[in-house]
Amino acid sequence: MAFRGRRVWLWRWRRNPLKRRADALESWVLLAVWAAMVLAGVLTCLTTAGTVERGLARERAEWRPVVALLGDDAPGRAGARAASSNAERVWAEVRWSAPDGSPGSGQARVRPGSPAGTPVTVWTDPEGHLVGRPATPTEAHTRATLVGGLAGLCAAAVPFVAGRALRTRLESRRIEWWGREWARFGPSWGGRPTW
């Protein structure tokens, strides 16, 4: 087990006579990368989450439920289990009247075996096109948080990758510099062995 001593905060920015210019540059690059990661991640997360939540709120305000009628008998058999479960629904053709009076038709999920003419609630946009049920405020907040968090992580990855590439380049230059210095001073250290 190695003894590490007490931890010194901000050691990268302290004065040290053995500290090279490359070490100082690397410490400032590291600080800039961390700051850019936090800034890019947080700003992107907040912006994306706000945009998604506003879009979902607009959908809630604009999309309207419409009672549609089943055009033909729905495929499948009607049953007690199918009637109580949303997972056991089938696709069928439905027809409705848009707010301007024009007829609309499309596919909607209905109970299996429902007879033609059965009323079904569907959602339409302002143009009268069939859409899905809009997200509730809780679902919208959850979705916005997840999408914003993912976008923030992706945005923070960009400065992280750039910083890693720059640090790798600095490391290879430092190794080249050590190699040149070793080739220059290494032979002068070799003396006669002391037995």
Side-chain angles (χ1 to χ4, degrees):
M1 183 168 139
F3 176 72
R4 294 184 181 250
R6 71 169 225 239
R7 186 155 178 90
V8 178
W9 292 99
L10 303 174
W11 62 271
R12 289 183 180 271
W13 293 276
R14 292 182 146 212
R15 292 181 186 257
N16 185 339
L18 298 177
K19 190 174 187 179
R20 298 165 301 218
R21 195 176 355 188
D23 297 330
L25 179 62
E26 183 180 1
S27 65
W28 287 107
V29 164
L30 187 63
L31 180 66
V33 165
W34 278 104
M37 284 174 55
V38 169
L39 189 65
V42 169
L43 287 178
T44 303
C45 177
L46 293 175
T47 303
T48 304
T51 302
V52 168
E53 199 150 10
R54 280 189 301 277
L56 293 174
R58 188 176 59 248
E59 288 178 359
R60 271 194 312 279
E62 293 176 354
W63 294 1
R64 297 284 176 240
V66 174
V67 176
L69 298 177
L70 196 58
D72 297 320
D73 290 344
R77 285 188 336 206
R81 181 167 182 244
S84 64
S85 173
N86 194 25
E88 296 290 328
R89 295 188 173 244
V90 295
W91 289 99
E93 184 76 21
V94 294
R95 293 184 178 85
W96 69 92
S97 293
D100 63 358
S102 62
S105 66
Q107 294 281 321
R109 307 255 318 170
V110 298
R111 292 184 180 131
S114 297
T118 302
V120 178
T121 302
V122 295
W123 290 83
T124 59
D125 63 9
E127 290 81 34
H129 299 116
L130 192 62
V131 294
R133 181 185 61 85
T136 65
T138 304
E139 291 170 343
H141 181 70
T142 302
R143 192 178 302 171
T145 302
L146 291 174
V147 171
L150 184 60
L153 285 175
C154 291
V158 173
F160 176 77
V161 170
R164 288 301 285 178
L166 186 56
R167 284 188 69 196
T168 301
R169 179 70 180 139
L170 288 172
E171 183 70 25
S172 67
R173 286 185 138 190
R174 188 172 25 239
I175 289 172
E176 288 173 14
W177 181 79
W178 283 345
R180 284 194 306 271
E181 292 298 313
W182 183 257
R184 186 172 154 202
F185 292 110
S188 64
W189 290 352
R192 286 181 287 160
T194 57
W195 311 104

